[in-house]
Amino acid sequence: MSNGQPLIRLEQLGKRYGVHHALRGVSLSLHEGEIVALLGPNGAGKSTLLSLLAALSRPSSGTLLIKGQSLSSAWNAVRRHIGFVSHQSLLYPELSAAENLQFYARLYGLEDGDARARQVMAWVDLLPRYHDQVRGYSRGMVQRLTIARALLHDPQILLLDEPFSGLDEAAAERLQRLLQRIHDEAPARLTLISSHDLPRTLALVDRVLILKQGRLVVDAAASAHDPAGWRTRYLAEIGG
Amino acid sequence: MSGLRALLWKELLAEWRSKEALATMLFFSASAMLIFSFALDLAPIDPHDVVPAVMWVTFLFASLLGLNRSFAREMEGHSLWGLKLSPIPRSSIYLAKMIGNFLFLTVIELIALPLIVVLFNVALPWPTLGVLLLGTLGLSSAGTVFAAMAVNTRLRDVLLPLMMLPVVVPLMVGVVQVTGALLKGRMFSDYASSLWLIVAFDVIFWVTSLLLFDFVLEE
């Protein structure tokens, strides 16, 4: 863990939807180069936390600083630093991968969108399908293309919400290797992975956060337990 | 500006590939015109009294179909999140959607006009095109912001007409009156107040939608 200024700092962060508290007083700091697991049962607040970090919604209370900037004062500047992979592809199925990536490259103001799009397509081993419509991609290919889209603008912060969900064993295995390679190639990037797939996620990360009912109940180094130990602790923490 | 151009390019390309909005609007408009032409007994009345209302009611309901599709497309892969994640002004998203909706509806109207001439046996003077553009601008300006509000709701297909129809009543009154006056060859002074009503509606909705779209896209 780095000792420098945190890339992300949360202080007593809360999010409420009507009377439902999705997040309650979450405080933590995330640093450059960390790869962090965000675990918790359904409804624990993982997706809510990621959507706040991605600047998709505003917190109801508390402070959220990304690279020292508050979201309310510098939303667009902050968005340039963030890559987000959600359950959904955020892609247009009727467009080709090339058209989708070049479209997003233009939204991010990238100089040579085509070259950058080809580069990220090569990273995710999809370059031969560059001109194919996304509608014809398999679920695993869409997930890799989604990661290519998230990496297009070379973000300093990569947020992944359930990246393994809906993938078969082979596709999940391939995605795990891809995430490891992406992190190795940009070791300064902060990566935060929300997941229910403990073995795969724990194999990637160096820090573990567990949320329960909107509260952060565990913040520990991944090395604190072996995978079996983490499974036991996870079940104990969430009351399983 | 480059963000706006990219968004507009994507709107046109996605519609060109799927043709969902254009096909449904065209089918609806042609069917409605045919039904009106057979259902209405035009013998005892002047068709110039009926055509403006038939025309604008058809275009209004056709616009609802296109507006629904324009944001429904963003929900298929949740690509609206992709736009919200991007470092572009929210007003660019509104402008691109609004211009796209305006262009698609205009194309449908231009195809439907000859059908009106044939089915109702009326001559449409050239200034009718000007009213058509102003009315379409009003429908697109207001409709785009309401479609954005409805898109995240479960009942979006129902909610859009419920929100939009009462609001566009002044616009519809204005365009029907001006179109009727033009068809009957009336003087400008006879329909000037209705024309200003249309212009005021367009300006008010265009400006307020641009200003409020940030909040509309929030959750």
Side-chain angles (χ1 to χ4, degrees):
Chain A
M1 201 181 297
S2 161
N3 293 320
Q5 191 196 10
L7 271 182
I8 297 176
R9 191 156 65 88
L10 317 180
E11 279 174 18
Q12 293 299 311
L13 196 73
K15 179 70 181 175
R16 212 178 54 216
Y17 297 102
V19 294
H20 172 66
H21 289 263
L23 279 182
R24 300 162 189 259
V26 175
S27 298
L28 70 107
S29 294
L30 298 167
H31 295 81
E32 187 178 287
E34 282 188 306
I35 179 160
V36 182
L38 180 60
L39 308 177
N42 290 333
K46 304 187 296 295
S47 294
T48 301
L49 179 56
L50 288 182
S51 77
L52 290 173
L53 298 179
L56 280 169
S57 58
R58 295 172 194 259
S60 307
S61 58
T63 307
L64 167 55
L65 298 175
I66 293 180
K67 293 195 76 178
Q69 290 180 300
S70 111
L71 289 182
S72 53
S73 65
W75 280 65
N76 278 347
V78 165
R79 285 189 178 104
R80 287 187 188 280
H81 303 303
I82 296 167
F84 184 58
V85 175
S86 91
H87 309 267
Q88 305 286 344
S89 69
L90 318 191
L91 299 164
Y92 296 91
E94 61 269 30
L95 304 189
S96 68
E99 289 161 345
N100 268 291
L101 294 180
Q102 286 171 25
F103 166 62
Y104 277 109
R106 289 170 72 188
L107 294 189
Y108 281 89
L110 303 184
E111 287 292 318
D112 192 347
D114 181 54
R116 179 64 184 166
R118 285 176 185 278
Q119 188 180 23
V120 291
M121 284 293 276
W123 286 351
V124 297
D125 300 326
L126 285 173
L127 196 52
R129 304 288 302 265
Y130 188 50
H131 292 291
D132 292 1
Q133 273 193 20
V134 173
R135 200 178 290 287
Y137 277 36
S138 68
R139 174 80 182 91
M141 289 162 71
V142 168
Q143 191 67 325
R144 282 185 280 145
L145 181 57
T146 301
I147 289 170
R149 177 197 51 74
L151 293 173
L152 194 64
H153 56 291
D154 195 18
Q156 280 182 279
I157 299 165
L158 181 61
L159 308 171
L160 301 115
D161 193 5
E162 304 283 0
F164 302 110
S165 105
L167 298 183
D168 61 35
E169 189 59 26
E173 179 72 33
R174 186 171 193 169
L175 181 62
Q176 183 185 341
R177 286 199 305 270
L178 172 65
L179 292 176
Q180 186 63 61
R181 201 171 76 226
I182 287 168
H183 186 68
D184 292 344
E185 285 173 7
R189 181 180 290 134
L190 163 65
T191 304
L192 185 57
I193 307 172
S194 139
S195 181
H196 288 294
D197 189 334
L198 258 62
R200 283 191 204 291
T201 309
L202 290 170
L204 288 165
V205 303
D206 43 39
R207 185 176 167 191
V208 176
L209 309 174
I210 299 178
L211 283 175
K212 181 187 175 187
Q213 293 174 349
R215 295 184 198 281
L216 183 64
V217 292
V218 173
D219 180 356
S223 57
H225 303 285
D226 61 13
W230 267 116
R231 181 177 162 72
T232 307
R233 182 165 181 193
Y234 175 74
L235 291 174
E237 291 291 349
I238 67 166
Chain B
M1 273 311 273
S2 112
L4 175 60
R5 278 200 302 271
L7 286 160
L8 189 55
W9 169 84
K10 185 269 299 171
E11 287 296 312
L12 300 179
L13 184 63
E15 181 54 34
W16 177 253
R17 290 272 163 78
S18 70
K19 296 183 181 63
E20 286 170 349
L22 285 170
T24 50
M25 284 196 290
L26 183 61
F27 183 75
F28 172 82
S29 300
S31 307
M33 296 287 182
L34 271 172
I35 291 167
F36 276 126
S37 74
F38 287 114
L40 293 170
D41 181 8
L42 294 174
I45 51 169
D46 181 357
H48 295 96
D49 288 330
V50 176
V51 164
V54 166
M55 185 173 119
W56 280 106
V57 167
T58 302
F59 293 157
L60 171 62
F61 283 95
S63 78
L64 289 171
L65 295 174
L67 289 162
N68 256 331
R69 274 314 306 159
S70 93
F71 276 95
R73 175 178 295 127
E74 303 294 344
M75 299 312 288
E76 212 175 323
H78 266 67
S79 43
L80 188 60
W81 279 17
L83 305 184
K84 288 167 74 175
L85 283 164
S86 310
I88 50 167
R90 297 295 179 259
S91 54
S92 303
I93 301 172
Y94 169 75
L95 278 176
K97 285 276 175 206
M98 193 276 281
I99 294 170
N101 290 328
F102 173 79
L103 292 175
F104 301 146
L105 189 54
T106 303
V107 166
I108 297 305
E109 289 166 350
L110 292 177
I111 295 171
L113 285 184
L115 202 61
I116 293 171
V117 171
V118 172
L119 290 173
F120 294 93
N121 195 25
V122 290
L124 296 173
W126 284 108
T128 313
L129 284 179
V131 188
L132 206 69
L133 293 179
L134 283 175
T136 308
L137 186 63
L139 287 177
S140 311
S141 302
T144 301
V145 82
F146 286 123
M149 288 162 80
V151 72
N152 282 318
T153 63
R154 200 162 42 87
L155 296 170
R156 61 172 171 263
D157 293 341
V158 181
L159 204 57
L160 175 61
L162 284 181
M163 288 193 294
M164 183 173 161
L165 292 179
V167 173
V168 297
V169 166
L171 177 71
M172 285 296 107
V173 170
V175 289
V176 167
Q177 285 179 349
V178 175
T179 309
L182 288 170
L183 290 184
K184 290 174 182 171
R186 297 257 169 86
M187 304 281 288
F188 177 73
S189 56
D190 291 340
Y191 59 83
S193 58
S194 297
L195 188 64
W196 293 127
L197 175 68
I198 302 169
V199 172
F201 183 96
D202 286 4
V203 171
I204 290 168
F205 257 92
W206 199 70
V207 172
T208 49
S209 300
L210 266 181
L211 294 174
L212 295 177
F213 204 67
D214 257 26
F215 301 101
V216 172
L217 279 193
E218 285 295 317
E219 287 159 40

